[in-house]
Amino acid sequence: MRPFLLFFLLCLHYSSSGQVFMRPFENAAAMGMGGATVALPGLSAGLANEGQLGLGTRLGFFAGTALPYGIEGWQSAHFQGLAGIGKYGGAGLSIDHSGTEDYREQRFKLAYGRRLAETFYLGGSADVLRASAPEYGSLTMATFSLSVLARALPKVWIGARVQNPLQQKIGEDLIPTVLRIGAVWRASDLFSLSFETEKDLERKALIKAGLVYQPLPLLLIRAGMRSNEITRMAFGAGLRLKNRLAIDLASEWHPSLGLTPSAMVSWMVNEPRPSGQGKK
């Protein structure tokens, strides 16, 4: 009964803020580096900033799942598909699902990103959010997001994303407006550090940090953390196979709720390598 009690207290925390639509759990690659992905100059951790679609990836797919806090009745899954459009742009489709038998949420996102200059990328998305509960019915609403990505220095990238900038509501409930701002120091193709702050207008700022180290061509090691009132640690690993397939595993530790394990499979053609990143 203890896991279900913790789940109830978590849901109560969200509802007490007067908000609906909890943030979905990140994919394994992003989770392993603490979620600090908004400024990544690539798509190895999935699409976190719509501007990344202008980096040059021609085709890609990501699919994964997580087991929130080890609670078997809580399902979390995601899918992303990416395709290049012309020389400087790309489009993406994302589907996220999270829920139990009594309450479910889905997010559908259609995104577009484009390179506007050699080191500057802009993107946006149209989002449809749906929540349903068998005893209370369902509700659906639409919103949008805007993103920018830029190379500020030869080895430093910065990124920002705002979700629901118009602060839309459903009745008296707020749809979260979330601002993410981050930076990535990419020392080489083998090592990078990421830092990010995320601010929901109704809650304290969340500080994130992560690192990625590639000791072997086929292996990536990730570690990260995020902290506001509670500090959560994360770790993960990824395998890069010769047939363009990648397998990522990660787990995040919450000091009260426990571990959230996650896994993801991805496949990409022409993963982008922006200029100024160095060579192996």
Side-chain angles (χ1 to χ4, degrees), residues 93-265:
L93 173 66
S94 300
I95 302 173
D96 294 283
H97 169 82
S98 180
T100 67
E101 292 184 359
D102 298 321
Y103 178 75
R104 298 181 180 88
E105 292 185 354
Q106 292 87 32
R107 293 172 180 249
F108 306 89
K109 179 173 70 176
L110 184 61
Y112 178 78
R114 185 172 180 84
R115 191 182 86 180
L116 300 183
E118 184 65 29
T119 60
F120 185 78
Y121 305 80
L122 179 67
S125 67
D127 309 327
V128 175
L129 314 178
R130 185 177 187 275
S132 61
E135 295 185 4
Y136 299 98
S138 63
L139 57 87
T140 303
M141 73 155 297
T143 182
F144 68 97
S145 303
L146 297 172
S147 301
V148 294
L149 179 68
R151 179 159 60 89
L153 296 170
K155 295 184 179 182
V156 177
W157 287 76
I158 58 175
R161 182 176 190 267
V162 60
Q163 173 186 316
N164 187 34
L166 299 183
Q167 300 183 21
Q168 294 170 274
K169 293 183 178 181
I170 296 179
E172 297 299 322
D173 294 320
L174 285 169
I175 304 302
T177 295
V178 180
L179 175 64
R180 300 172 62 191
I181 301 175
V184 172
W185 174 54
R186 192 173 174 89
S188 69
D189 283 350
L190 304 179
F191 182 80
S192 65
L193 287 174
S194 301
F195 301 93
E196 180 179 322
T197 180
E198 176 180 315
K199 183 66 175 75
D200 179 333
L201 295 182
E202 298 297 315
R203 301 189 180 95
K204 294 182 179 179
L206 182 64
I207 306 300
K208 308 175 187 177
L211 64 85
V212 180
Y213 174 54
Q214 189 170 6
L216 300 170
L218 299 181
L219 177 65
L220 285 82
I221 297 174
R222 300 183 177 93
M225 59 79 65
R226 67 186 80 198
S227 178
N228 49 12
E229 298 177 352
I230 296 175
T231 298
R232 290 173 282 171
M233 307 300 295
F235 56 90
L239 294 176
R240 297 295 177 261
L241 308 179
K242 293 183 179 180
N243 54 3
R244 300 193 181 101
L245 276 174
I247 299 173
D248 292 284
L249 303 172
S251 187
E252 182 183 78
W253 177 73
H254 189 290
S256 299
L257 302 178
L259 287 173
T260 296
S262 62
M264 179 177 71
V265 176

Side-chain angles (χ1 to χ4, degrees), residues 16-32:
S16 65
S17 301
Q19 291 187 350
V20 292
F21 297 112
M22 295 182 289
R23 180 170 178 170
F25 288 86
E26 293 147 337
N27 65 56
M31 180 182 289

